[in-house]
Amino acid sequence: MIVIKIISVIGTRPQFIKYAIISKELRKNNQEILVHTGQHYNYEMSKLFFNQLQIPKPDYNLGVGSGLYGAQIGRMLVELDKIFLKEKPDAVLLYGDTNSTLAGAMASRRFKILIGHIEAGLRSFDRTMPEEINRVITDHISNFLFAPTKTAVNNLKNEGITKKVFLVGDVMCDILRQNMKIAEKSHILKNLNIQPKKYFLTTIHRISNTENVLNLSNILKALSSIDKKIVFPLHPRTERFIKKYDLSKKIGKNVCMIKPVGYFDFVWLEKNAKKILTDSGGIQKEAYLLNVPCITLRENTEWIETIKDGWNILVGAHKEKIVDAIENFKPSGKQSAHFGNGSAAKKIVNILDKYTVI
Ligand code: UD1
Ligand code: UDP
C-alpha cells in the first residue's frame, strides 16, 4: 500500500469537531500532518476540544489569533507557505468555510497541491457573509469536493463544478452518532440546575447578529421578554459586542449566560432543550438530527433541508418573529437521512486513497 501524505488545516471550534472524525480514519493508513492556524485560541474554543475528542497535538500551531479579515488570512498565508514548501504534501484537506479554510486553499494552489474540501457546495446565496466568499472560492479551486447533501451537489453543478464531486454525507452527523453515548453521561443539566425540555438553548456568533447593535439588541430583548429559562453559552465574539454596546443590563434574569461548553455537554444541552435558537450552521443540523425544533436567527441558511422538512424556521433578528416562534413554532414534517448514514469520514478517506495515488 502506498502511503499518502496529507496536511489538514483547521482553526475554529466546528473544524476541530469535524476534523476529529476524519483524522481517526485518515491516520489508519496514511501520514497526516496537522496545522492549527490559531484562529480560535481560548481554552474553551480550542484546547477543550483537543482534549475531549482526543485530537492529536498539532504539528504546527500558527498562533495567528484574531484580527481583520485580510490581516488574519495574510498571517496564515505567510506561515502556510513555509510549511507547504517544507512538507510537500500530496494533498491538503480543508473543512467548511472559515478564514482558515480560505487561507489553506490559497496556499495550496500556489504550490499546485491537490485540495480536498469537506462540506463543499453549501450556499446561503448571501455574499455579505465572509463564509459565503470563503466557500465559493475554496470550491472553485478544489480538486475533490466532498458534498454533505444533494442540495450541495446541485449548487456546485449550477456553478459548473461537476468533476470529482462526491456526495459523502455530513461528517458532523458521523461524530454525533459516535458520541451520543458519551454525551448521555454529561452532568451539565444537574450543574445548571435545569430539567429536560424545560429550557431553551441559544447561541449567537454571526457578524450580522453581533456587529450590528440593532440586531443584537433585538435578539437579546426577545430572549429577555419571555417567561422561560434560556441557556446561552456565549461565543467570545458575542461577549465582546455585548460589552462594547453595553447591553448586559438589558438581559433578563431568565437568560443564563455561561462560557462556551465542551462538545459532549453541548450535545446533551441540545438533546434536552425544548427548542434551540441559533445562528450557527452546525447547530441547526444537530438540532434536526436530535429531533429538536430549531429557530434560526438568520434570514437564510445553507441547511435548507431542515426548513423544507418543517423542523427549522428562519426568523432573522426580528423580536416579534422570535417570540412568536418560541411560543408557537411546531415541527410539521417527517425527517429524512439528508445528511447521510454516519459514514462520511470513511468515504472521504477511501476516495482520497483511491485518487491521490497516481
Ligand atoms: C469563525 C468563522 C465562522 C464560524 C465560527 C465558529 C470566519 C470568517 N468565521 O467565526 O464561520 O462559524 O468561527 O465558531 O472564519 N475570539 C476570542 N477568542 C477565541 C476566538 C475568537 O476572543 O478563541 C473573539 C475575538 O474577539 C475575535 C472574535 O471572537 O475577534 C471573532 O473570532 P473569529 O475567529 O474572527 O470569528 P468567529 O466569529 O469566531
Ligand atoms: N458547540 C460546542 N459548545 C458550545 C457551542 C457549540 O461544543 O458551547 C459545538 C456544537 O455542538 C457544534 C459546533 O460547536 O458541533 C458548532 O460550532 P459553531 O456554532 O461555533 O460554528 P458553525 O457551525 O456556525 O460554523
Side-chain angles (χ1 to χ4, degrees), residues 14 39-42 66 98-99 131 205 235-237 240:
Q39 181 173 343
H40 284 178
Y41 46 88
N42 285 5
S66 305
T98 71
N99 292 351
E131 291 86 353
H205 71 272
H235 189 288
R237 178 194 281 280
R240 196 174 106 209

Side-chain angles (χ1 to χ4, degrees), residues 179-235:
N179 287 290
M180 213 51 223
K181 286 264 170 307
I182 305 179
E184 281 167 13
K185 296 191 184 123
S186 161
H187 293 141
I188 188 84
L189 300 196
K190 196 165 156 239
N191 293 347
L192 294 175
N193 196 19
I194 48 176
Q195 307 295 322
K197 302 296 166 187
K198 295 270 194 287
Y199 65 92
F200 292 73
L201 178 65
T202 294
T203 75
I204 315 172
H205 71 272
R206 292 286 153 212
I207 290 179
S208 59
N209 284 334
T210 51
E211 296 193 19
N212 179 323
V213 63
L214 193 65
N215 284 357
L216 183 56
S217 52
N218 277 346
I219 293 171
L220 296 176
K221 269 188 216 156
L223 300 179
S224 305
S225 71
I226 55 163
D227 182 21
K228 292 179 171 71
K229 180 101 177 173
I230 306 225
V231 177
F232 187 3
L234 212 52
H235 189 288

Side-chain angles (χ1 to χ4, degrees), residues 52-180:
Q52 282 199 335
L53 300 173
Q54 293 166 359
I55 301 172
K57 192 170 178 293
D59 298 280
Y60 298 91
N61 190 326
L62 312 186
V64 299
S66 305
L68 293 176
Y69 193 64
Q72 193 181 46
I73 292 173
R75 287 199 292 272
M76 291 178 195
L77 278 173
V78 170
E79 299 307 319
L80 287 173
D81 268 2
K82 292 182 211 159
I83 296 168
F84 289 0
L85 201 57
K86 179 174 161 223
E87 298 287 353
K88 298 188 173 42
D90 298 302
V92 168
L93 257 188
L94 304 171
Y95 304 71
D97 53 20
T98 71
N99 292 351
S100 300
T101 316
L102 179 62
M106 288 162 74
S108 308
R109 267 301 90 193
R110 155 103 175 71
F111 296 107
K112 301 191 179 71
I113 302 165
L114 295 173
I115 303 172
H117 185 205
I118 295 171
E119 273 197 359
L122 293 176
R123 296 290 180 269
S124 62
F125 303 103
D126 174 0
R127 292 204 169 173
T128 63
M129 292 175 75
E131 291 86 353
E132 184 79 353
I133 307 302
N134 294 345
R135 59 191 163 222
V136 168
I137 297 174
T138 303
D139 282 343
H140 280 260
I141 58 177
S142 285
N143 305 87
F144 303 97
L145 295 108
F146 300 114
T149 58
K150 284 185 193 149
T151 310
V153 174
N154 283 333
N155 289 339
L156 291 170
K157 199 169 155 198
N158 291 338
E159 292 173 22
I161 306 175
T162 52
K163 281 191 196 139
K164 302 242 166 56
V165 173
F166 303 93
L167 177 59
V168 290
D170 190 87
V171 287
M172 288 182 102
C173 176
D174 294 19
I175 192 152
L176 188 65
R177 280 178 176 224
Q178 287 187 22
N179 287 290
M180 213 51 223

Side-chain angles (χ1 to χ4, degrees), residues 36 53 66 89 91 107 116 118 122 140 153 164 171 203 209 232-233 243 245 249 271 277 283 285 288 295 320 342 352:
H36 182 341
L53 300 173
S66 305
I118 295 171
L122 293 176
H140 280 260
V153 174
K164 302 242 166 56
V171 287
T203 75
N209 284 334
F232 187 3
K243 273 196 198 123
Y245 299 138
K249 52 183 179 287
K271 172 82 189 146
L277 297 103
I283 296 171
K285 200 172 34 189
Y288 182 91
I295 299 166
E320 289 73 28
L352 284 172

Side-chain angles (χ1 to χ4, degrees), residues 4 6-10 14-35 49-50 53-59 93-95 118 171-172 174-175 178-179 344-350 352-353:
I4 56 170
I6 300 217
I7 293 189
S8 277
V9 179
I10 56 177
Q15 292 174 318
F16 308 140
I17 296 168
K18 291 164 203 171
Y19 170 78
I21 189 96
I22 292 286
S23 173
K24 279 203 182 94
E25 287 301 323
L26 204 54
R27 290 189 181 214
K28 284 182 186 164
N29 292 317
N30 299 296
Q31 185 192 353
E32 194 206 27
I33 291 166
L34 177 60
V35 177
F49 293 89
F50 281 78
L53 300 173
Q54 293 166 359
I55 301 172
K57 192 170 178 293
D59 298 280
L93 257 188
L94 304 171
Y95 304 71
I118 295 171
V171 287
M172 288 182 102
D174 294 19
I175 192 152
Q178 287 187 22
N179 287 290
K346 271 200 170 62
K347 286 181 185 149
I348 290 168
V349 172
N350 286 342
L352 284 172
D353 285 347

